[in-house]
Amino acid sequence: MTAAPGMTQANVAAVRLEQLTKRFGDVDAVAGIDLEIRDGEFFSMLGPSGSGKTTTLRMIAGFETPSSGQILLYGRDVTGVPPFDRDVNTVFQDYALFPHMTVGENVAYGLMVRRVPRLEREERLTEALRMVRLEGYQGRRPGQLSGGQRQRVALARALINRPRILLLDEPLGALDLKLREEMQIELKAIQQQVGITFIYVTHDQEEALTMSDRLAVFNRGQIEQVGSPADVYERPATTFVAGFVGTSNLLRGETARAVIGSDGIYTVRPEKIRLASPDAEPAPDEQSALGHVREVVYLGSDTRYIVELDVGGALVVTQQNLETSSMEALAAQDRPVRLVWKRQHVLTLGGSSGPTGDGEGAESA
Ligand code: ATP
């Protein structure tokens, strides 16, 4: 692969979005975003329904024209360039396979249209099917495949074109949970093997955290945070990110003053909090709050406790069931407890300097 003239692979971004905007009537689907995606990266765009992820992806693909702003792929301005002249391919959630064609015909279709010679076509077909572990399936029809296999055919059909960037729009959305989790691991392995830049749209935070090198969290047409999964989870920049990626466990208003000792919006992740007896003495580097267990949810390897705080609000606590049986876990219901956590695990969230006007106390998602 070669970079744009005068640039090296190392310093040119695979994708660069500059003040990218898309307006549909009076809806700002994408409201002026700036973003850089690195070469060879598995990058996810995460956000709730309607936050602008798909529209952004479609603009990168060239299916949608921006209202304003610029799109650069490997240093080349492609803002007005049609989809087929961009070095990208898209894998859609519904696969869009031709049912009357075999797997081989489906995968090699793009090469046929571009009149790639037969011998090369066959070589590339074999290579693409090998990448997605579907050797030997080329004579089958889509109707004779499982959902996961159909998804891999769709992937092979994109990979055979050897794009520099692969765009994936909720590609695992139609699969059941177990298959989805298997395919997440497989997709990541394929991406590492082929080294192509993957841009992955999902509303599933766990999926984004599992697969991505970095991710962008979208909200209302804007990007709230860009970072590695650990950055976004452990250091959420805003209350929205804290709530959307993981359990929000917000402390604010009266509760923040009572528990943290100052005004602002704070969060403590559920797995950083431990349950102790009410008379336990927190260590100097710890903070604590009294409450009682309102609800116990036994989840096999973990238990989730929802604890009502005496100062108002509630916090979610998760504990691994290392030595706890389900009976012991469930017996905690209604018990008075002291929640204890290390000061270093309290995160201060953006927008914390002034009143937020959207409620007081502790909230958990
Ligand atoms: P989802 O996960 O549901 O696909 P998303 O984050 O991908 O959501 P988009 O599909 O990009 O969100 O939509 C962003 C906003 O733009 C939404 O309010 C949507 O209704 C609107 N929108 C998207 N496409 C069109 C269109 N073709 N015409 C009018 N409005 C549109």
Side-chain angles (χ1 to χ4, degrees):
M1 288 189 214
T2 50
M7 296 203 174
T8 64
Q9 203 74 37
N11 66 17
V12 68
V15 176
R16 191 179 157 88
L17 308 180
E18 292 174 0
Q19 280 300 302
L20 193 65
T21 301
K22 181 70 189 181
R23 227 164 279 122
F24 293 109
D26 53 8
V27 175
D28 278 346
V30 177
I33 59 171
D34 291 299
L35 180 65
E36 265 196 20
I37 299 174
R38 298 171 193 148
D39 179 50
E41 186 164 54
F42 196 122
F43 191 93
S44 294
M45 302 207 258
L46 172 70
S49 182
S51 57
K53 318 174 293 285
T54 299
T55 304
T56 302
L57 197 80
R58 288 174 57 80
M59 287 194 280
I60 297 172
F63 300 137
E64 210 77 74
T65 312
S67 306
S68 63
Q70 247 130 43
I71 302 170
L72 282 84
L73 303 184
Y74 287 98
R76 174 186 173 217
D77 188 340
V78 297
T79 314
V81 172
F84 51 84
D85 273 342
R86 301 183 185 200
D87 212 351
V88 300
N89 262 96
T90 308
V91 178
F92 299 99
Q93 181 180 351
D94 61 3
Y95 317 143
L97 300 178
F98 300 117
H100 59 284
M101 287 188 189
T102 63
V103 166
E105 288 163 349
N106 264 289
V107 174
Y109 183 76
L111 301 186
M112 285 270 285
V113 172
R114 283 190 282 139
R115 298 183 191 281
V116 172
R118 193 171 62 89
L119 203 61
E120 183 185 342
R121 233 165 46 215
E122 283 175 4
E123 273 172 23
R124 285 170 67 171
L125 173 62
T126 307
E127 184 197 354
L129 291 178
R130 188 180 46 73
M131 277 181 199
V132 300
R133 297 197 294 113
L134 279 182
E135 301 105 320
Y137 281 78
Q138 77 192 71
R140 294 225 201 161
R141 287 180 204 284
Q144 300 170 304
L145 300 174
S146 70
Q149 288 167 337
R150 279 204 285 272
Q151 177 51 246
R152 281 189 262 158
V153 175
L155 192 61
R157 193 178 47 181
L159 290 172
I160 202 169
N161 297 317
R162 297 179 180 158
R164 296 180 82 180
I165 301 170
L166 194 66
L167 307 176
L168 303 104
D169 192 0
E170 305 248 4
L172 308 182
L175 305 178
D176 65 50
L177 182 65
K178 193 160 182 318
L179 192 53
R180 216 180 145 103
E181 287 173 351
E182 281 169 23
M183 282 299 293
Q184 287 169 9
I185 295 166
E186 200 163 317
L187 258 183
K188 175 82 184 172
I190 292 170
Q191 189 267 340
Q192 284 173 335
Q193 186 194 333
V194 298
I196 294 174
T197 307
F198 274 34
I199 306 178
Y200 192 93
V201 161
T202 181
H203 62 266
D204 181 331
Q205 49 120 345
E206 229 171 274
E207 192 159 282
L209 294 179
T210 312
M211 303 172 79
S212 320
D213 296 314
R214 291 192 310 145
L215 60 142
V217 184
F218 278 68
N219 181 28
R220 299 182 186 185
Q222 288 180 328
I223 294 176
E224 298 248 343
Q225 189 171 4
V226 180
S228 69
D231 283 340
V232 170
Y233 184 78
E234 289 172 10
R235 290 176 290 281
T238 64
T239 50
F240 176 81
V241 175
F244 194 73
V245 184
T247 303
S248 58
N249 264 359
L250 298 183
L251 296 158
R252 64 167 93 201
E254 209 37 64
T255 310
R257 283 192 285 278
V259 177
I260 309 287
S262 59
D263 275 322
I265 307 174
Y266 304 92
T267 182
V268 194
R269 292 301 192 188
E271 67 278 11
K272 304 292 191 202
I273 306 175
R274 104 184 120 80
L275 288 174
S277 71
D279 51 9
E281 278 283 331
D285 64 340
E286 291 179 327
Q287 286 176 331
S288 78
L290 288 167
H292 69 274
V293 178
R294 187 177 75 205
E295 207 177 316
V296 182
V297 186
Y298 181 74
L299 300 166
S301 59
D302 307 283
T303 301
R304 183 187 306 143
Y305 302 88
I306 298 163
V307 176
E308 203 89 53
L309 303 184
D310 291 354
V311 290
L315 286 176
V316 175
V317 181
T318 50
Q319 309 267 274
Q320 276 190 298
N321 294 327
L322 295 174
E323 284 163 15
T324 317
S325 69
S326 61
M327 292 290 283
E328 284 164 338
L330 293 169
Q333 178 84 39
D334 298 327
R335 267 196 201 150
V337 288
R338 182 180 288 277
L339 300 185
V340 185
W341 58 84
K342 290 211 183 314
R343 282 173 200 277
Q344 72 200 62
H345 291 141
V346 176
L347 309 170
T348 307
L349 297 172
S352 60
S353 52
T356 58
D358 54 350
E360 294 252 307
E363 300 161 15
S364 49

